[in-house]
Amino acid sequence: MELRRISDWTTLVGARIELRQQGRPVCSGHVDAVTDDGAILWLVAPADKRRIYEKAEFYEAWAQEEQTGFHYRASLSPLNDH
């Protein structure tokens, strides 16, 4: 499966994602937590500590559906709103 940009970060808790900044891969890992408004997420990378990322800094979350019943809003274009 190919990765898709996820515009609604509130749905990503527990998901494995690739984080990109302005289209360039930054890191990947599991989403540990997300703020209620979906503007900030905490990511745990396999060989790194838990880190915080903000949409306002042009980060994008990219993911694929890994399990049945896990759904989130994805966009096909990286040009959509952050």
Side-chain angles (χ1 to χ4, degrees):
M1 276 186 122
E2 67 182 63
L3 297 178
R4 298 180 121 183
R5 188 172 72 84
I6 309 305
S7 57
D8 182 2
W9 286 10
T10 62
T11 61
L12 291 174
V13 175
R16 178 164 171 71
I17 67 165
E18 176 180 282
L19 201 65
R20 300 178 187 179
Q21 188 174 39
Q22 297 180 330
R24 294 187 175 145
V26 174
C27 64
S28 63
H30 286 90
V31 177
D32 184 47
V34 178
T35 56
D36 289 339
D37 63 359
I40 299 171
L41 66 74
W42 286 262
L43 188 70
V44 179
D48 203 359
K49 297 179 182 177
R50 182 178 188 242
R51 297 188 66 183
I52 188 171
Y53 297 93
E54 296 182 53
K55 269 189 182 181
E57 294 177 354
F58 305 104
Y59 286 105
E60 301 172 339
W62 290 73
Q64 66 183 21
E65 190 168 340
E66 294 181 341
Q67 56 192 356
T68 303
F70 181 71
H71 299 285
Y72 37 73
R73 185 174 168 203
S75 65
L76 296 175
S77 170
L79 301 177
N80 292 345
D81 293 338
H82 294 288

